[in-house]
Amino acid sequence: MLENCILLSLFAKENLNRMSEQQLNLYDRLINEPSNDWDIYYWATEAKPTPAEFENDVMAMLREFAKNKKREQRLRQPDLEYLFEPPR
């Protein structure tokens, strides 16, 4: 679903290179285990409570990112060139 693609890809661009191995494993689990993509969106936007098995620091980071406190325009997925850039 488009909303999750935008949210998760922009979150990944901003955070993946700073995550520990444990956080990367939690993120991988988050994006691959729930059977309903809407669930991830609802948890990230706090429309529904996050189940205990997905309540962790990565989900907290995603919820904070979803608040978009800087009011950035997030209208499309980022280009993938960032995957080949050295970490900041």
Side-chain angles (χ1 to χ4, degrees), residues 9-18 65 72 88:
S9 63
L10 291 170
F11 174 80
K13 180 180 180 181
E14 188 169 307
N15 293 285
L16 285 185
N17 64 352
R18 292 182 277 184
F65 182 80
E72 299 168 320
R88 295 184 244 164

Side-chain angles (χ1 to χ4, degrees), residues 23-34 40 52-56:
Q23 288 173 320
L24 289 170
N25 288 332
L26 290 170
Y27 182 71
D28 182 68
R29 185 170 167 248
L30 172 67
I31 63 173
N32 288 302
E33 282 189 19
I40 299 170
E53 64 266 26
F54 293 105
E55 188 57 62
N56 54 55

